Each structure stands twice: as C-alpha cells, then as structure tokens.
C-alpha cells in the first residue's frame, strides 16, 4: 500500500503543466496551480488556455514563444499588473480574456501592436477607466466585456473607435449619471440604432438617479449640461463631444444635472436642433447672395457712369478738333484778300 502511494505521488509530481494537442494546436493549462506563464511552449500554438490558476502578473513579452496564438484565456487568476509590452509580438491575436482578475488599470500601450483583436473580455476586475488612446487598437472589436468593474464613465474618443462592435456588457459598474456621462448616452443611442446589443447602464450616483437605466433617462434631466455649453445641443447630430468640451464650461468641474418635471420627446429635440441648424445655414447663404447682388449692382452702375463719361470726352475732343480745322481754312483766305 505504501509503495502504491509513493508511485501515485511520483506520477503527480512529474505530471506536465499543460496538455497539448498537435492536431488542433491547442495548449490547455487550466487549473494547474501555475504562478507564471509556462516555458518552452510550442511556437505553433494557436490557442492557449490558462484560466483558473494563480498567475499574479504578466512580464514583458510574456508570450514571445507563441507568436501565432489566436486565442488567449487568462481568466480567473490573480493578475494585478500587466507590463505595457506583455503582448508584444502577438499580431494575430483575436480573442483575449482577462476576466475575473484584480486589474485596476491597463496601460494605453498594451494593445498597441494588435490590430486583429475581435473579442476582449475585461469583466469582473477593478478597472476605473480605459484610456482613450486604446481606441485605435479596438477598431475591429465585435465584443467588449466591461461588466462588474469600477467604471464611472467612458472616454468618448474610445467609444467612437468601436465602429464594428456588436455586443457590449456594462452592467455592475458604479456609473455616475451626471454631465460627464452624457457622451456615453448619446453614443449608445447611435450604437443601438445600428443594431448593437448592450445589457444595461444603471446609475449609482447622484442619489436621485440611483438604479435608473441611463438609456431611459430623458434628456431634460441633463438640461444643466446642455446650457453650460451649446455644443451639447447638437452633440447627437455631429458627435463632437470630447473631454475638453465637458470641462470647458466650469473651470474643471461641471454643475450637477438638475432634474426637470416637464418632459419632451427626444425626437422633438432633435427636430428642433435640425431646424435651427438649417435656418442658420440658409440665413448665411441668403446674406452671401444679397452681398453678391449689391456688389454686382454697384459694379454695373460704376461701369455705366464710366462709359458715359468716356463717350462725352470723346465727343468734346471731336468738336474741338473740328473748330481748329475751320480756323486753319480761314487764315489763307484772309491773307489773299489782303
């Protein structure tokens, strides 16, 4: 019995860290109690599963041995830090999961070299925000998971780059539904209109909006934001909101949004904005046409006056020439008589 126990223990000790399938090029390292990324992985690996381990961080070029990997799953670990160059060299990476870790922030350079990423899951972390500069690397995303983090707002420049996004998870974040979040509300309208799918954005602050769905809050509750800067009135038409505009009205702090009793349909607001813009453009065009007409009339009058004066001068010159000729003819006749 003791010998069999020893043999069993020895087999467990020499058990490989991962199982590899040479046909599918899949490496499975799930639930092996790993603290680091395994070494000497086959360079042809296309899928690497590392979930349910004890990995705490990712160093520089942590996956240099597998440059062809397409799927990388690091969910349910204890990752607190990731080097900005951890994913360097993974140009074909398509799916990345960092869900159920302890990440507080991601360096804006982390996804820089990757242009093929289509699925990114960052849910169940402690992220307080995503840098707007990361948007360039997320242009081809079809799914983005941000549920259950500590997000209070999202950078509008990041959202504008998500042109191919099909599904988005945002639930479980402490969203602060004030002037800083109007950019997300406006973007969600366009995103949903194009057929995108999102779970929900429930407000945590301020107190009067707690547990309300951002998508169902009427624009009138953001009236204070609208009056702070007129740019917000046309935001959903031109999509020009940015962090600078949000901070431009109050020296770095925006006034709290005041709830209003009277509500007007969202479409009516958009219609009014469109009419105002059309009226301004038409007015400018009319003024330009009027200025052109006045200029044309003035030019025609000046030219007509100039032509009249020129003709008059020519007639005077002709008359004076005739007088001189008559005088010259009289002089020889008078001399002959004398």
């Amino acid at each position: 019995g003791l010998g069999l126990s020893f043999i069993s223990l020895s087999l467990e000790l020499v058990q490989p860290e991962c199982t590899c399938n040479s046909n599918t090029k899949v490496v499975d390292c799930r639930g092996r109690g790993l603290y680091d990324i395994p070494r000497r992985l086959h360079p042809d690996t296309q899928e690497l599963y590392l979930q349910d381990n004890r990995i705490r961080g990712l160093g520089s070029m942590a996956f240099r041995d597998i440059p062809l990997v397409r799927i990388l799953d690091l969910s349910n670990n204890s990752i607190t830090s990731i080097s900005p160059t951890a994913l360097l060299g993974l140009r074909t990476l398509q799916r990345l999961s960092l869900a159920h870790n302890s990440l507080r922030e991601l360096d804006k350079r982390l996804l820089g070299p990757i242009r093929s990423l289509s699925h990114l899951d960052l849910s169940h972390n402690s992220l307080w925000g995503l840098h707007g500069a990361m948007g360039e690397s997320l242009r081809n995303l079809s799914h983005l998971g941000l549920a259950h983090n500590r997000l209070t707002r999202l950078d509008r420049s990041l959202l504008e780059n998500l042109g191919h996004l099909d599904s988005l998870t945002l639930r479980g974040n402490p969203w602060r539904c004030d002037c800083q979040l109007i950019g997300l509300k406006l973007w969600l309208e366009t995103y949903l209109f194009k057929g995108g799918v999102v779970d929900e954005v429930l407000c945590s602050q301020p107190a009067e909006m707690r547990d309300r769905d951002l998508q169902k809050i009427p624009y009138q509750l953001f009236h204070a934001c609208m009056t702070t800067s007129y740019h917000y009135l046309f935001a959903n038409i031109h999509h020009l909101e940015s962090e600078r505009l949000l901070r431009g009205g109050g020296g770095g702090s925006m006034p709290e949004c005041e709830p209003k009793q009277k509500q007007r349909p969202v479409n009516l607001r958009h219609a009014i904005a469109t009419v105002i813009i059309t009226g301004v453009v038409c007015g400018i065009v009319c003024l330009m046409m009027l200025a052109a007409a006045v200029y044309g009339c003035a030019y025609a009058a000046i030219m007509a006056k100039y032509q009249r004066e020129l003709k008059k001068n020519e007639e005077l010159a002709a008359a004076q020439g005739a007088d001189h000729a008559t005088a010259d003819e009289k002089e020889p006749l008078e001399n002959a008589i004398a």
Side-chain angles (χ1 to χ4, degrees):
L2 182 60
L4 289 175
S5 299
F6 177 77
I7 293 173
S8 176
L9 179 60
S10 299
L11 288 174
E12 290 180 2
L13 290 174
V14 300
Q15 184 179 10
E17 293 177 336
C18 310
T19 58
C20 306
N21 188 318
S22 58
N23 294 325
T24 60
K25 299 178 182 178
V26 173
V27 178
D28 188 350
C29 307
R30 291 177 292 179
R32 302 301 175 96
L34 301 177
Y35 288 92
D36 295 299
I37 306 301
R39 301 295 180 186
R40 299 181 299 279
L41 292 172
H42 197 283
D44 290 337
T45 300
Q46 293 192 6
E47 299 181 19
L48 176 59
Y49 298 97
L50 286 164
Q51 58 264 49
D52 304 319
N53 283 290
R54 301 174 184 175
I55 301 171
R56 295 177 179 270
L58 300 178
S60 177
M61 299 187 69
F63 304 96
R64 64 169 68 89
D65 296 333
I66 51 172
L68 302 179
V69 68
R70 295 182 297 104
I71 299 177
L72 181 57
D73 194 332
L74 289 156
S75 60
N76 200 24
N77 277 277
S78 303
I79 301 174
T80 58
S81 63
I82 300 178
S83 169
T85 56
L87 304 178
L88 198 62
L90 305 185
R91 296 185 178 275
T92 60
L93 187 63
Q94 297 177 8
R95 299 173 67 92
L96 173 63
S97 178
L98 291 166
H100 292 276
N101 279 285
S102 302
L103 294 169
R104 291 179 174 271
E105 60 181 340
L106 293 179
D107 192 280
K108 62 182 180 180
R109 298 167 291 176
L110 178 64
L111 302 175
I114 306 172
R115 290 292 184 269
S116 55
L117 197 64
S118 62
H119 184 105
L120 178 61
D121 191 353
L122 299 172
S123 58
H124 293 275
N125 277 280
S126 299
L127 296 171
W128 54 268
L130 291 178
H131 200 284
M134 296 182 70
E136 287 294 325
S137 302
L138 305 180
R139 286 186 176 274
N140 294 317
L141 271 192
S142 59
H143 172 79
L144 176 59
L146 295 173
H148 299 284
N149 277 280
R150 297 182 181 177
L151 301 172
T152 58
R153 62 185 297 264
L154 280 177
D155 196 301
R156 184 66 184 269
S157 61
L158 173 72
L159 296 171
E160 293 295 349
N161 281 301
L162 303 177
H164 295 89
L165 199 66
D166 294 325
S167 60
L168 175 65
T169 60
L170 296 172
R171 70 168 69 239
N173 284 285
W175 301 107
R176 183 175 179 82
C177 297
D178 58 7
C179 300
Q180 300 288 341
L181 208 62
I182 191 172
L184 175 59
K185 178 175 175 62
L186 293 169
W187 180 85
L188 281 174
E189 280 192 356
T190 303
Y191 171 70
L192 293 171
F193 178 77
K194 292 179 178 179
V197 177
V198 65
D199 46 7
E200 61 182 2
V201 180
L202 293 183
C203 304
S204 291
Q205 301 178 57
E208 60 269 20
M209 293 193 188
R210 187 173 181 85
D211 295 329
R212 296 189 64 177
D213 192 336
L214 178 66
Q215 301 174 57
K216 299 177 181 178
I217 297 177
Y219 276 95
Q220 282 62 41
L221 297 184
F222 293 97
H223 178 72
C225 311
M226 301 289 188
T227 55
T228 301
S229 172
Y230 73 90
H231 291 284
Y232 287 107
L233 182 60
F234 310 113
N236 205 35
I237 299 174
H238 296 291
H239 302 292
L240 294 177
E241 288 77 22
S242 65
E243 188 173 355
R244 291 188 298 274
L245 292 177
L246 289 171
R247 295 181 178 178
S253 61
M254 298 293 293
E256 293 294 330
C257 304
E258 302 174 356
K260 301 294 179 180
Q261 296 293 331
K262 188 177 179 180
Q263 299 182 5
R264 288 163 54 193
V266 176
N267 290 337
L268 179 59
R269 185 184 68 86
H270 294 170
I272 293 174
T274 304
V275 170
I276 293 174
I277 292 176
T278 304
V280 171
V281 173
C282 291
I284 293 173
V285 172
C286 290
L287 288 175
M288 292 176 65
M289 293 177 63
L290 179 61
V294 172
Y295 176 81
C297 292
Y299 180 80
I302 293 172
M303 289 301 298
K305 183 178 180 181
Y306 172 77
Q307 292 293 335
R308 288 196 300 271
E309 290 180 355
L310 182 61
K311 186 175 181 180
K312 185 177 180 181
N313 290 337
E314 289 177 352
E315 291 175 353
L316 289 174
Q320 290 177 359
D323 292 341
H324 283 302
T326 304
D328 291 339
E329 290 175 359
K330 288 181 177 181
E331 268 187 17
L333 182 60
E334 289 174 355
N335 290 337
I337 296 173

